[in-house]
Every structure is written in C-alpha cells, then in structure tokens.
Amino acid sequence: MTDIPSFLHIDPATRRVSLNGRNPTFYGDPNRVYAALHEHCPTFYWEEQRQWFFTGYDHVNALLRDRRFGRQILHIASREELGLPEPQPHLANFDLAERHSLLEIEPPEHTRLRTLVNRAFVSRHIERLRPEIAALAERLIDGFEKDGKTELLSSFADIIPVTMIARMIGIPDDMGPQLLKWSHDYVGMYMFKRTREDELAADRSAREFADYVKTLIAERRNAPRDDLLSHMIHTEHKGQYLSEDELVSTTIVLLNAGHEATVHQIGNSVSVILESGLPPAEMFRDEAVTERTVEETLRICAPVHIFQRWALEDVEVDGVFLKRGDKVSLILAAANLDPDKFAEPLVFNPERQEAPNLSFGAGIHFCIGAPLARLELNTVLPILFRRLPGLRMVETPRVKDVYHFHGLERLDLAW
C-alpha cells in the first residue's frame, strides 16, 4: 500500500483530489504523490486546477495521439461559444509570439511548419553534432576541473543546450545568457506559480525576443547562411513560404524547447545517478548501457510533467464525460511511474528494459527536439562522470518552484 501524504486529499468515490501545487513537499518529490494517485485514483479531477487529469500510461499514451483532442480549440469554436475570456491586453506580445507556435497549432498549419523544420532534427542529421557537443563539454570541464568543485547548472548544464540550439538556428554563442533570460521569462507563463509579475515579464521578453529574431530574419533574407533560420526563410512547402510571424514563433519555440527541458534534465540526471549509489562507470560502460541509463533518468525525473489538450468534440475517456471545449491534463511524469508498466516504478534502475518513457510526448506533437536532447544527454553525461570520477553532491539539492516543470535550483558538486 502506498501511503497518502498528509497534504494530498483523495476521494476515490468521486475521483476528486485536492492538492496545493505550490507545496514544496509536493513539487520537491512529486513521484510520491503520483504513486499514491496510481493506487487510489489514476484519473482524477484536481479541485484547485478545475480540470481532469490522467496519469495511467495507456490513457496518457492514447490521449497524446487521439485526434479528438488537440492543442488548439479556437479553429473550430468561438470564445463566446466556449465561454472563454477575451485575450488580455498585457499579454499581447506573448500571444502574438504563441499564435503560430508548433506547440499550439493543429493541422494543416502544424503540418506545414513542422515539415519545414523536421529535417534538421531527425536523428541522422543530429548525430553529426556529437563531436561538437563533446568538445563543448570537455572545454567547460577544463574550466572548473582544477577547482575541485562547481555549481553544475551555471557552469555546465545551462550552457550546452542553449549553445547547441542557437548554433543550429544561426545565433551567436555570446547571445546564450540573453536567450536564457528571455526563455526563463517566457516559460514562466506555464508554471503553477504564475503571477501578474510573471505575466508582465513574459510579455516583455516575448517582445524583445521577437524583435531580436526579426533582425536576424532581415539579415538572413539578404545574406543566407548554412543554418536553420536561413532554411526556414528560403524553403517553400507546396508553394508557400513562412510569414514573418510564423518565422518568429517557430524560432522562439525551437530555442525554448531546444534547451529549457535539457538544462533541467542534465541536473536531474546527475542528481538521481549520484543519489542511487550505483557506480557511474558501470552505467556508462558502453553506448547501449548509456542509452538505457539516460532513458531511465528521463523516466524517473522527467523535466516536463504535464501536457494539456482541448476536447475537440464530446468524448468519454475512462468513464469521464468531456464536452467540446473542455481542457484536460496528461501527467507524463506520472505515466512513467505506472506500476502496470514498470516494476518497482519509484526505483532508479538503469538496467530497466520495459515500456518507453513518455517524457517527450507522443503523436503529432511529439517533441521535435527529442533527438537533440537525447544526443546531448548521451554525450555529456559519460564525459562528466569520466572526467570527474570522484563526483559527489555537497548537499541535497532543492527543487525549483517551477512546477509543472521539474528542475533543481542549483547542484553543488565536489570531487
């Protein structure tokens, strides 16, 4: 039997759950709550969020692929019809940047945009970046190895993913810190702790981010280079080119998705490996074992926990009747802990060979950056543990108050 934490209230009869998403005991160790939900109420109505949530692996996997659900609703119904509020003026810049986001649109627009960028992110093209990723990791470790200690997020995890995605798009390395700031502000819109100040910061950064991308677009129109932005500008799909607004939205989403989760995951992975007490040398002894280790870290401490979908028609799922326009949430990180799919799901086991994790989603909105994230993790983690064989945590790291994302505030290491 899984103990129900005192801050979690479950009524299995009505499938109602009360839980404060801002409680540090929850977001510091959400897996404990997910285990209780699996046992007592895997499909539930979260009172504070006023929404139905699904945690079962099969339900989450199916709903991610179910075309009766989508990321967009206003293409088939009006705000008035659905009772949705009007757009808020103080979010005008953010809404404009999101209007053509790959994460937020449905076919046929999604198909057109994704087709134009997909080729750059398929595994065979991404694999060519391995030597460049490895060289960057080695250089960063060279910079702090002699110190005998480091705060890994700022010295390593923050730098590698943003540098690589920026280089792919065609943005100079020295823009990395600014891109991180814009991105952190931008994704603040998706956190449970979102405040009016967070919204204003997101809107301001969306405007600055968009203005910067527009200057790059103008440069690449006049002088194309061998980069993804030039490719998106100058390649047509069925006789159509991307508009400037589409280019801006797509560039922003690629930059955000291309690094934000991976920054969290490098820290999460190092932390869970060190906490396990298992010998890292064994986990990275060859390519196949390294891949299994990385997939297990993605399963047990995913960097993004929730994907949402709109019901595009009246539909029933697991006895829940949903009307067109209802929004539901799929907890990917909980699906990764489903005891029907994973033996001892709360145990980190790098030898595990069970169902694939759902940390990157599934269906047409499967994370376009997944091959890049996987390559970065499979490349830099073995290098880190090889270069610093006595690696240990100086203190237990704290989880950031950024739910439904999952990442550490800092990760202080010594060797």
Side-chain angles (χ1 to χ4, degrees), residues 341-388:
K341 294 292 180 181
F342 304 99
E344 296 186 283
L346 297 186
V347 174
F348 173 69
N349 175 14
E351 297 298 324
R352 192 184 295 276
Q353 297 187 60
E354 294 170 308
N357 67 72
L358 295 177
S359 298
F360 292 110
I364 67 165
H365 288 288
F366 178 79
C367 177
I368 198 168
L372 177 61
R374 284 186 159 119
L375 178 64
E376 288 169 342
L377 293 163
N378 277 278
T379 303
V380 308
L381 292 176
I383 290 172
L384 184 71
F385 283 99
R386 172 178 55 79
R387 288 286 303 272
L388 308 171

Side-chain angles (χ1 to χ4, degrees), residues 63-315:
L63 285 166
L64 286 167
R65 306 166 192 273
D66 194 330
R67 300 306 301 138
R68 296 173 299 174
F69 293 83
R71 287 291 299 161
Q72 194 178 23
I73 189 67
L74 294 178
H75 62 308
I76 62 164
S78 68
R79 288 180 180 275
E80 294 74 23
E81 184 184 345
L82 298 170
L84 296 178
E86 289 301 310
Q88 297 172 285
H90 73 286
L91 292 175
N93 294 293
F94 179 84
D95 289 343
L96 179 60
E98 287 284 273
R99 187 171 299 163
H100 302 287
S101 167
L102 277 167
L103 294 176
E104 304 297 337
I105 58 175
E106 291 294 305
E109 290 80 7
H110 177 272
T111 307
R112 183 168 66 94
L113 265 66
R114 182 134 183 165
T115 299
L116 278 171
V117 299
N118 208 39
R119 188 170 62 90
F121 286 91
V122 295
S123 297
R124 65 180 180 276
H125 288 290
I126 291 296
E127 180 61 34
R128 299 172 190 165
L129 298 174
R130 188 185 290 269
E132 194 175 342
I133 296 167
L136 178 56
E138 299 275 12
R139 178 171 63 77
L140 292 172
I141 296 170
D142 288 343
F144 58 71
E145 182 182 21
K146 63 185 180 304
D147 301 331
K149 63 178 182 178
T150 194
E151 194 292 292
L152 193 75
L153 302 188
S154 56
S155 67
F156 192 77
D158 275 350
I159 299 169
I160 292 171
V162 73
T163 301
M164 294 311 303
I165 189 64
R167 287 178 183 176
M168 285 180 68
I169 290 171
I171 296 173
D173 286 2
D174 60 12
M175 279 297 294
Q178 181 62 70
L179 294 175
L180 280 171
K181 182 190 180 306
W182 284 334
S183 180
H184 290 336
D185 287 347
Y186 198 92
V187 301
M189 288 291 291
Y190 300 105
M191 297 173 189
F192 278 29
K193 73 177 184 70
R194 173 175 142 191
T195 63
R196 174 83 177 199
E197 288 70 29
D198 292 325
E199 293 177 351
L200 293 171
D203 195 69
R204 181 175 61 251
S205 285
R207 185 190 71 244
E208 294 173 1
F209 212 160
D211 288 346
Y212 175 70
V213 172
K214 287 173 185 175
T215 65
L216 288 179
I217 292 169
E219 291 172 9
R220 296 300 192 277
R221 285 197 195 281
N222 293 326
R225 298 185 192 173
D226 184 19
D227 57 36
L228 183 53
L229 183 57
S230 298
H231 167 76
M232 291 192 297
I233 291 168
H234 295 280
T235 303
E236 62 176 305
H237 176 65
K238 297 184 178 178
Q240 287 185 300
Y241 292 91
L242 296 185
S243 68
E244 182 168 79
D245 284 345
E246 288 174 330
L247 287 165
V248 168
S249 287
T250 305
T251 302
I252 288 176
V253 78
L254 291 177
L255 276 164
N256 288 343
H259 80 272
E260 189 81 32
T262 313
V263 168
H264 289 325
Q265 192 58 31
I266 292 173
N268 294 349
S269 297
V270 171
S271 174
V272 78
I273 287 167
L274 291 175
E275 284 173 351
S276 75
L278 300 172
E282 278 298 299
M283 295 185 217
F284 301 111
R285 65 182 182 269
D286 61 41
E287 205 168 291
V289 178
T290 294
E291 285 184 10
R292 285 208 300 272
T293 298
V294 167
E295 292 307 305
E296 177 67 349
T297 67
L298 283 163
R299 182 194 72 82
I300 203 164
C301 54
V304 180
H305 281 209
I306 294 172
F307 280 4
Q308 294 185 319
R309 293 289 187 272
W310 294 97
L312 303 180
E313 58 185 73
D314 294 349
V315 60

